[in-house]
């Protein structure tokens, strides 16, 4: 006999289902209940850096936009610091770095306003390219999907990013690049997520 | 000196796989390529922090948080309580737990739910709370009803409460569903059975907890939640910086 390892098992995941908005974005489900819904203001009014909008759709294996998705974003501020005690750096007052958006019930479009993150420190040495960590849940998704949004105008930083370089199929790296546009003087990045099939977005086991 | 390191890797044989054809929606919403494994960086070991300013003290009372003054939701009054722990048995204090559910008749307050069971005017169906310093949380609510869904011709979800938990890092983020002891629908549900392992499925079934029930008021169910544990690193690889 050997000693027993005394670890607990992680609670298994289940789909968020079609009515995820009731719990996590009740205003979108059609009723007002909380004084303050969480996740609608990622950067706050005091954050330095470039104000940007990010928008896209999540597409299923048939090519159709999914209309009941919830995405959460987690990002650093423009100096590359996360709003978390373990990070070591400081962030602007009111900068949360976390946001939550849902897709439009009719079109499947989602969007959030934030600031462009700075480079964050790498795992061992060096720095990571600016990126936003995304977590995607929906009906039909059994375990939330993790991906990263990078910026297509950060060519130099992207070229040395340790995570992008981990993807051995170079053609797949471009699925993580949001495309910069200017619309009426505002910076908008387009980031469509393809769950399955041709040009499938890279998802991570983090 | 030890330092907090990476989170234990997720046991992807314990969690449901992405493609589970008996749960039909998963067929077109599951990646075909493998996930790319990523060792944790600062991006994964950090996550949002919430405080008591973010929520209202009564957000965890679903019997009253959407009811008219002096009124209450209709249904079996229950307390759902438990602890949020990590795989090392350590409590996770001050973490946000959010729940949502149907009413006693199985009807969701959602514009997309058209099930013929009526809305309860005094029941919203969502709540949230922060765990205390021992990782403990509780909700007061009514027990949700089963409801039909379009999967097979005659599928009914067991009574369940959706649960969303943050933990201390984005790597621990989890959404799951809590079922209730003794419900015969649990074993017939294709969503429950997306989880291949019977012990893993059992981990989602809250136990009837008479000790926590309030006599002449509410019956209780206990639902502990386990998030990923974390390694202590004895050695650091960093040669420079940080």
């Amino acid at each position: 006999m050997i000693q027993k390892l005394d670890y607990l098992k992680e609670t298994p995941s289940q789909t968020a289902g079609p009515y995820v908005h009731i719990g996590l974005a009740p205003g979108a489900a059609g009723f007002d209940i909380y004084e303050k819904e969480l996740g609608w203001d990622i950067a706050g009014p005091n954050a330095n850096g470039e104000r940007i909008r990010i928008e896209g759709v999540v597409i299923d294996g048939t090519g159709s936009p999914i209309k009941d998705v919830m995405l959460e974003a987690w990002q650093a501020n423009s100096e590359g610091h996360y709003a978390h005690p373990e990070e070591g750096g400081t962030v602007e007052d009111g900068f949360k770095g976390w946001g939550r958006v849902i897709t439009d019930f009719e079109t499947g479009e989602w969007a959030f306003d934030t600031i462009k993150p700075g480079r964050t420190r790498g795992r061992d040495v060096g720095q990571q390219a600016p990126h936003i960590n995304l977590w995607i849940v929906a009906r039909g998704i059994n375990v939330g999907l993790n991906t990263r949004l990078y910026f297509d105008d950060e060519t130099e930083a992207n070229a040395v990013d340790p995570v992008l370089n981990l993807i051995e199929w170079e053609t797949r790296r471009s699925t993580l690049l949001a495309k910069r546009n200017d619309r009426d003087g505002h910076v908008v990045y387009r980031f469509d997520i393809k769950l399955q099939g041709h040009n499938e977005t890279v998802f991570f086991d983090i | 000196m030890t330092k907090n390191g990476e989170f234990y890797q997720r046991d992807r044989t314990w969690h449901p796989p992405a493609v589970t054809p008996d749960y039909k929606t998963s067929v077109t919403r599951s990646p075909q390529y493998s996930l790319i494994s990523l060792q944790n960086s600062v991006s994964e070991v950090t996550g949002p922090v919430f405080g008591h300013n973010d929520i209202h003290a009564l957000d965890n009372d679903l019997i009253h948080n959407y009811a008219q003054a002096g009124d209450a939701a209709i249904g079996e009054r229950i307390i759902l309580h438990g602890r949020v722990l990590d795989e090392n048995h350590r409590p996770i204090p001050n973490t946000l737990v959010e729940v949502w559910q149907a009413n006693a008749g199985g009807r969701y307050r959602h514009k997309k739910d058209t099930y013929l069971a009526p809305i309860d005017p005094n029941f919203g169906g969502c709540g949230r709370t922060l765990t205390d310093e021992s990782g403990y949380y509780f909700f007061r609510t009514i027990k949700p009803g089963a409801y039909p869904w379009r999967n097979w011709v005659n599928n009914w979800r067991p009574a369940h409460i959706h649960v969303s938990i943050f933990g201390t890092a984005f790597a621990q983020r989890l959404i799951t569903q809590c079922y209730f002891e003794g419900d015969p629908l649990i074993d017939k549900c294709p969503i429950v059975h997306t989880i291949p392992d019977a012990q893993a499925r059992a981990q989602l079934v809250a136990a009837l907890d008479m000790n926590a029930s309030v006599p002449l008021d509410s019956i209780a169910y206990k639902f502990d939640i386990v998030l990923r544990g974390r390694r202590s690193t004895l050695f650091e690889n960093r040669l420079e910086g940080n």
Side-chain angles (χ1 to χ4, degrees):
Chain A
M1 289 295 285
I2 56 168
Q3 293 188 11
K4 192 175 184 304
L5 285 175
D6 183 27
Y7 294 109
L8 296 172
K9 290 296 284 186
E10 189 187 7
T11 298
S13 173
Q14 291 267 267
T15 179
Y19 306 128
V20 58
H21 328 90
I22 292 179
L24 307 185
F31 65 112
D32 289 320
I33 180 164
Y34 295 140
E35 278 174 24
K36 188 159 78 173
E37 283 197 15
L38 300 174
W40 300 114
D41 189 9
I42 300 175
N46 304 313
N48 301 315
E50 184 177 34
R51 296 272 159 183
I52 62 172
R53 183 178 183 83
I54 295 174
E55 56 186 34
V57 289
V58 180
I59 300 163
D60 72 12
T62 74
S64 312
I66 299 183
K67 297 169 182 174
D68 49 17
V69 175
M70 185 194 79
L71 297 98
E72 287 185 355
W74 175 239
Q75 67 164 88
N77 73 357
S78 61
E79 300 286 310
H81 297 304
Y82 285 99
H84 188 271
E86 206 172 304
E87 211 283 333
T90 56
V91 298
E92 299 88 344
D93 189 33
F95 179 88
K96 290 285 260 184
W98 173 78
R100 175 182 269 176
V101 294
I102 61 158
T103 47
D104 184 277
F105 291 137
E106 305 302 323
T107 64
E109 291 275 341
W110 55 269
F112 56 86
D113 296 307
T114 185
I115 56 99
K116 193 173 180 186
R119 299 182 73 173
T120 48
R121 67 170 193 265
R123 181 171 174 274
D124 296 321
V125 294
Q127 289 192 304
Q128 309 189 82
H131 67 276
I132 297 177
N133 309 285
L134 295 176
W135 188 68
I136 303 156
V137 296
R139 176 170 68 107
I141 297 177
N142 290 326
V143 185
L145 293 167
N146 287 97
T147 189
R148 286 181 169 204
L149 178 157
Y150 289 83
F151 301 90
D152 74 344
D153 55 336
E154 294 285 340
T155 316
E156 280 176 40
N158 290 341
V160 296
D161 180 79
V163 170
L164 286 173
N165 281 295
L166 202 61
I167 304 166
E168 113 186 49
W169 308 275
E170 289 180 32
T171 53
R172 299 200 66 204
R173 296 177 191 168
S174 63
T175 67
L176 301 185
L177 299 185
K179 287 165 192 61
R180 184 182 178 115
N181 297 295
D182 285 287
R183 185 191 302 153
D184 307 327
H186 298 286
V187 181
V188 180
Y189 286 92
R190 181 81 193 177
F191 190 66
D192 290 337
I193 295 164
K194 189 88 185 288
L195 291 187
Q196 184 189 84
H198 183 62
N199 282 333
E200 183 175 301
T201 299
V202 170
F203 298 104
F204 296 106
D205 187 9
I206 65 171
Chain B
M1 188 183 99
T2 62
K3 199 172 145 93
N4 281 329
E6 286 147 17
F7 286 88
Y8 301 154
Q9 72 167 42
R10 267 205 166 125
D11 181 350
R12 298 265 174 185
T13 66
W14 183 256
H15 286 281
V19 201
T20 48
D22 285 340
Y23 174 30
K24 293 182 178 180
T25 318
S26 73
V27 173
T28 58
R29 296 185 173 194
S30 42
Q32 288 173 337
Y33 292 119
S34 304
L35 302 178
I36 307 276
S37 297
L38 209 58
Q39 289 172 295
N40 291 171
S41 72
V42 66
S43 300
E44 288 78 35
V45 301
T46 57
V49 178
F50 300 96
H52 290 280
N53 291 335
D54 291 314
I55 62 175
H56 191 274
L58 296 178
D59 282 351
N60 67 342
D61 182 355
L62 284 72
I63 292 178
H64 298 108
N65 70 5
Y66 197 70
Q68 298 293 316
D71 228 330
I74 290 172
E76 184 178 338
R77 296 161 62 88
I78 64 168
I79 292 163
L80 183 73
H81 76 122
R83 295 175 78 196
V84 181
L85 306 165
D86 71 11
E87 289 169 290
N88 299 314
H89 305 254
R90 294 193 188 108
I92 302 184
N94 200 49
T95 196
L96 184 65
V97 181
E98 298 166 287
V99 295
W100 68 100
Q101 63 168 96
N103 68 23
R107 175 72 184 269
Y108 282 97
R109 184 177 285 278
H110 190 290
K111 49 191 171 191
K112 292 284 179 185
D113 187 1
T114 55
Y115 179 37
L116 49 77
I119 290 282
D120 177 347
N122 289 307
F123 186 70
C126 60
R128 54 192 188 181
T129 192
L130 293 168
T131 56
D132 70 12
E133 61 281 1
S134 311
Y136 184 79
Y137 75 91
F138 74 93
F139 292 94
R140 166 164 290 199
T141 186
I142 54 96
K143 193 172 174 188
Y147 70 88
W149 57 301
R150 291 180 187 278
N151 189 60
W152 297 331
V153 171
N154 189 23
N155 269 138
W156 293 76
R157 295 301 325 279
H160 64 278
I161 296 178
H162 296 266
V163 184
S164 162
I165 318 100
F166 279 82
T168 58
F170 216 49
Q172 286 179 313
R173 191 77 181 84
L174 183 73
I175 282 181
T176 189
Q177 300 183 28
C178 159
Y179 305 99
F180 295 91
E181 178 181 355
D183 186 341
L185 287 170
I186 294 172
D187 211 37
K188 298 187 184 304
C189 177
I191 290 181
V192 174
H193 277 274
T194 60
I195 300 170
D197 186 292
Q199 274 182 293
R201 294 195 295 271
Q203 199 172 340
L204 298 186
V205 183
L208 176 66
D209 184 357
M210 294 307 291
N211 289 346
S213 299
V214 181
L216 305 179
D217 182 325
S218 298
I219 202 161
Y221 286 87
K222 185 160 192 287
F223 187 67
D224 286 340
I225 298 160
V226 180
L227 302 181
R228 294 167 69 180
R230 199 168 179 187
R231 191 170 291 144
S232 297
T233 45
L234 299 172
F235 304 102
E236 279 292 299
N237 286 332
R238 293 193 182 90
L239 300 174
E240 56 178 292
N242 187 33

